[in-house]
């Protein structure tokens, strides 16, 4: 709940407004898990709260810590048994937490592990916050950056994600500014226009993964609904409305989208857009048959884009020894359960 919503409830219950601020701060800043820990409230009030409300949480079902770089991967169990994944890494000049926005995903990109384990439900804003707070507490660090790049399609859970963005950036709460947040989407065009209207200063990452509709349709079913022309038009409009440069994600898959011709075509398509291209060597997921492009291919791709004036970088891989990319732990757990 937002502080304003708490204030409304407290007013109705005959409580002073400053109580709402205290409760909001316990929940958001301190991330407490139980009403009994709200020690500056009377016992009666704590009892009343515990009868009428619950505190959303994310229990750690599994924790893997990379020996290579300290990246922490969590599998969280939600109140109804749903499993979601989060990753805590040292990245982008601070501690970055990659969180999930849905249990599973409906987008079914062919290279992605999450879609393979099906879609269960949307997460609430509270469940997104709980991932950040639990990772922060467990890691013993202050999280400075958040990326919505875990399981799920954030713009397919639009209202809860907007609510989460407002809560996590609240100066009375975790106070993580929009400039420290990235939201990644497979390209739900209508929602990109909606998001632009908020004029948030977050970074919008768009998963492109192809230079044209023909290749994109082979790997991303969403591209049958929205063409690349429509998507790139939405991106240009987003950039004009918000003043923020778009970041395009491009997972490099051997012999699928990594040729020189693909790089030339991509550069041509992105000429009009103020953007940055993030190349990600694809993570092999069992059953997909995809392999990552060679280092030489990656470098050549960057060179071609840069020759056309488009900045591009190859994303550093973190947590490679713990399968840190999302979707894989949930899937394994589900398989374990189904084999029992
Ligand atoms: N649904 C959102 C965010 C979640 S996935 C989106 O599509 O953007 C975060 C990023 O990881 C996306 O760019 C996604 O395409 C990419 N991704 C998924 N599976 C991958 C894999 N096996 N290797 C590399 N990147 C992958």
């Amino acid at each position: 709940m937002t502080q304003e919503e708490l204030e409304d409830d407290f007013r109705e219950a005959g409580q002073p407004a400053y109580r709402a601020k205290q409760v909001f701060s316990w929940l958001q800043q301190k991330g407490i898990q139980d009403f009994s820990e709200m020690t500056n409230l009377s016992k009666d009030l704590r009892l009343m709260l515990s009868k009428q409300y619950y505190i959303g949480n994310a229990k750690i079902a599994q924790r893997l810590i990379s020996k290579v770089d300290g990246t922490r991967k969590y599998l969280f169990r939600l109140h109804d048994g749903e499993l979601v994944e989060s990753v805590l890494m040292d990245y982008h000049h601070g501690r970055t937490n990659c969180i999930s926005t849905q249990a599973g995903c409906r987008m079914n990109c062919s290279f992605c592990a999450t879609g393979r384990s099906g879609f269960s439900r949307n997460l609430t804003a509270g469940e997104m916050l709980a991932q950040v707070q639990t990772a922060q507490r467990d890691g013993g660090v202050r999280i400075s950056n958040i990326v919505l790049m875990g399981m799920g399609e954030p713009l397919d859970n639009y209202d809860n994600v907007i609510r989460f963005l407002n809560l996590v950036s609240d100066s009375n709460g975790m106070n993580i500014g929009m400039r420290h947040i990235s939201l990644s989407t497979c390209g739900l065009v209508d929602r990109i226009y909606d998001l632009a209207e908020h004029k948030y200063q977050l970074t919008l990452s768009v998963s492109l993964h192809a230079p044209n509709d023909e290749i994109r349709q082979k790997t991303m079913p969403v591209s049958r609904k929205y063409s690349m022309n429509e998507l790139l038009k939405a991106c240009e409009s987003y950039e004009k409305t918000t003043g923020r440069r778009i970041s395009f994600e491009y997972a490099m898959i051997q012999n699928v989208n990594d040729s020189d011709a693909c790089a030339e075509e991509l550069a041509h398509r992105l000429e009009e857009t103020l953007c940055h291209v993030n190349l990600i060597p694809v993570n092999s997921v069992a059953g997909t048959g995809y392999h990552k492009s060679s280092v030489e291919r990656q470098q050549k791709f960057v060179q071609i884009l840069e020759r056309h004036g488009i900045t591009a970088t190859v994303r550093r891989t973190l947590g490679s020894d713990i399968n840190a990319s999302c979707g894989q732990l949930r899937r394994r757990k589900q398989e374990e359960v189904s084999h029992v």
Side-chain angles (χ1 to χ4, degrees), residues 91-161:
Y91 207 51
H92 292 315
H93 322 291
R95 291 287 180 162
T96 300
N97 192 192
C98 176
I99 63 159
S100 295
T101 54
Q102 296 180 314
C105 187
R106 302 198 296 174
M107 300 299 133
N108 282 318
C109 300
S110 63
F111 43 78
C112 179
T114 300
R116 296 182 162 250
S117 61
F119 173 77
S120 296
R121 66 170 174 86
N122 283 329
L123 300 196
T124 64
E127 287 169 332
M128 295 175 217
L129 280 165
Q131 293 172 61
V132 184
Q133 285 173 341
T134 308
Q136 181 156 278
R137 200 168 40 246
D138 185 71
V141 290
R142 165 147 167 75
I143 288 168
S144 53
N145 297 63
I146 291 178
V147 294
L148 276 63
M149 290 191 185
M151 296 169 51
E153 167 50 47
L155 298 186
D156 186 39
N157 183 12
Y158 188 80
D159 292 341
N160 288 327
V161 163

Side-chain angles (χ1 to χ4, degrees), residues 267-281:
H268 176 66
R269 297 297 293 263
L270 297 183
E271 255 162 21
E272 302 295 316
T273 322
L274 190 64
C275 67
H276 176 87
V277 176
N278 228 320
L279 297 168
I280 316 158

Side-chain angles (χ1 to χ4, degrees), residues 66-260:
S66 165
K67 289 194 179 71
V68 184
D69 51 47
T71 298
R72 285 169 170 250
K73 168 97 191 220
Y74 295 99
L75 182 69
F76 288 126
R77 184 171 286 113
L78 305 176
H79 72 91
D80 58 352
E82 282 302 335
L83 298 166
V84 295
E85 298 177 34
S86 266
V87 186
L88 179 58
M89 55 205 146
D90 226 341
Y91 207 51
H92 292 315
H93 322 291
R95 291 287 180 162
T96 300
N97 192 192
C98 176
I99 63 159
S100 295
T101 54
Q102 296 180 314
C105 187
R106 302 198 296 174
M107 300 299 133
N108 282 318
C109 300
S110 63
F111 43 78
C112 179
T114 300
R116 296 182 162 250
S117 61
F119 173 77
S120 296
R121 66 170 174 86
N122 283 329
L123 300 196
T124 64
E127 287 169 332
M128 295 175 217
L129 280 165
Q131 293 172 61
V132 184
Q133 285 173 341
T134 308
Q136 181 156 278
R137 200 168 40 246
D138 185 71
V141 290
R142 165 147 167 75
I143 288 168
S144 53
N145 297 63
I146 291 178
V147 294
L148 276 63
M149 290 191 185
M151 296 169 51
E153 167 50 47
L155 298 186
D156 186 39
N157 183 12
Y158 188 80
D159 292 341
N160 288 327
V161 163
I162 295 291
R163 197 176 171 75
F164 165 75
L165 292 172
N166 288 322
L167 282 165
V168 82
S169 59
D170 193 309
S171 56
N172 289 330
M174 294 193 84
N175 197 18
I176 299 179
M178 290 286 182
R179 283 183 183 267
H180 297 269
I181 302 176
S182 294
L183 185 155
S184 182
T185 178
C186 64
L188 300 185
V189 167
D190 300 341
R191 292 309 200 182
I192 291 176
Y193 284 107
D194 292 342
L195 182 67
E197 292 306 318
H198 289 278
K199 298 195 170 57
Y200 293 146
Q201 292 301 292
L202 53 75
T203 300
L204 182 66
S205 296
V206 173
S207 301
L208 210 51
H209 304 324
N212 58 45
D213 285 319
E214 199 192 334
I215 298 180
R216 205 160 185 261
Q217 282 171 10
K218 284 190 189 143
T219 53
M220 300 181 74
V222 67
S223 64
R224 286 184 213 125
K225 179 153 187 205
Y226 302 107
S227 70
M228 250 178 88
N229 270 345
E230 288 172 292
L231 176 56
L232 294 179
K233 213 170 122 211
C235 291
E236 263 174 57
S237 160
Y238 184 91
E239 181 240 301
K240 283 206 182 75
T241 310
T242 62
R244 300 286 291 165
R245 188 173 74 155
I246 303 256
S247 172
F248 288 106
E249 319 270 331
Y250 196 101
M252 292 191 68
I253 315 174
Q254 195 174 65
N255 299 331
V256 174
N257 64 359
D258 67 346
S259 66
D260 286 357

